[in-house]
Amino acid sequence: MQLIPLSKRLHTIVEYIPKTGVLADIGTDHAFIPIHAVQLNRVQRAIATDLRSGPLQKARENVAKFGLSGVIDLRLGNGLAPLAPGEADVIVSAGIGGHVHTEMLTSGLAVVQRAARVIFQPMNAGHRLRQALDQLGFRLVDERLVLEDDRVYEIIVAEPTSGQSTPDPAYSAIRHDPHRLAQAYTYGPLLMQAQSPLYQLRLTREIEKLQAVLGNVAQSHNEAAGERAARLRAEIEDMQMLLREGNGDYA
């Protein structure tokens, strides 16, 4: 059997799909993830949805090409709307903004709470997604950074708990500190603990971007520019402190 080829990012996502009954891939695009998951026998069948008819048609062509039309159901619709509660054991959504994932999570909570696991790969606004997962009673299982085409992507894996009264232990040590909690929502509590080389690279690149912005802002001498420069310096210092923690320097 010819396996559909996957990028490193998508392959890493598939690694987090446990052997289960039904996978739902939201925003499936070309259906690479569900096709590969079925081919590896990680799932018995899959549901692939997309908001746009063009990508869904391409997904349909790929599903047919690999002889999986009988086990991958393609549906047109927004977010989790095409799914009924209890229909999917694992829900994946990759390659869209974290604000969209957050809206998907809150508006489709009845569907997500009936899944055993959710796997998100936000392109941005990961802080909003983590905060929503935390406040809605989900537990982080793992976080992973992947370097692909010189860009660092983050993957967030979570599972529902018994409800909002069960706090996520990933945040237990810092929940009393609002500033530290905000950092964890932004950079990932498990990633902050692991301090991987990609985590260090991500912070370094973000610091460099902010320093470049600060250089431009510092050329202006009005009050608004001064206030923005102060905020940028504070943000840079925060990230530099996180880098120093990774190097074992807590001073």
Side-chain angles (χ1 to χ4, degrees), residues 217-232:
V217 171
Q219 295 178 24
S220 300
H221 301 289
N222 57 60
E223 183 177 350
E227 292 174 353
R228 188 183 182 199
R231 291 194 299 268
L232 286 168

Side-chain angles (χ1 to χ4, degrees), residues 24-28 47-52 75-84 87 91-93 96 99-109 111-112 120:
D25 182 26
I26 312 301
T28 194
I47 301 166
T49 79
D50 208 284
L51 177 62
R52 299 165 298 163
R75 301 179 186 177
L76 183 69
N78 187 19
L80 294 167
L83 297 181
E87 197 172 12
I91 296 172
V92 169
S93 185
I96 57 180
H99 61 289
V100 178
H101 283 146
T102 302
E103 170 61 25
M104 181 190 306
L105 186 68
T106 54
S107 64
L109 190 58
V111 173
V112 183
F120 293 105

Side-chain angles (χ1 to χ4, degrees), residues 10-91:
L10 297 186
H11 188 271
T12 303
I13 291 171
V14 171
E15 288 179 346
Y16 281 109
I17 300 173
K19 196 171 183 64
T20 191
V22 181
L23 164 71
D25 182 26
I26 312 301
T28 194
D29 199 25
H30 290 186
F32 292 152
I33 288 175
I35 290 173
H36 200 74
V38 169
Q39 288 181 322
L40 294 179
N41 293 317
R42 286 185 178 268
V43 299
Q44 296 174 13
R45 65 185 198 84
I47 301 166
T49 79
D50 208 284
L51 177 62
R52 299 165 298 163
S53 58
L56 200 66
Q57 177 57 33
K58 185 61 179 178
R60 184 172 288 106
E61 293 170 4
N62 284 336
V63 168
K65 175 182 176 181
F66 287 91
L68 297 175
S69 297
V71 291
I72 298 180
D73 184 11
L74 295 138
R75 301 179 186 177
L76 183 69
N78 187 19
L80 294 167
L83 297 181
E87 197 172 12
D89 302 300
V90 176
I91 296 172

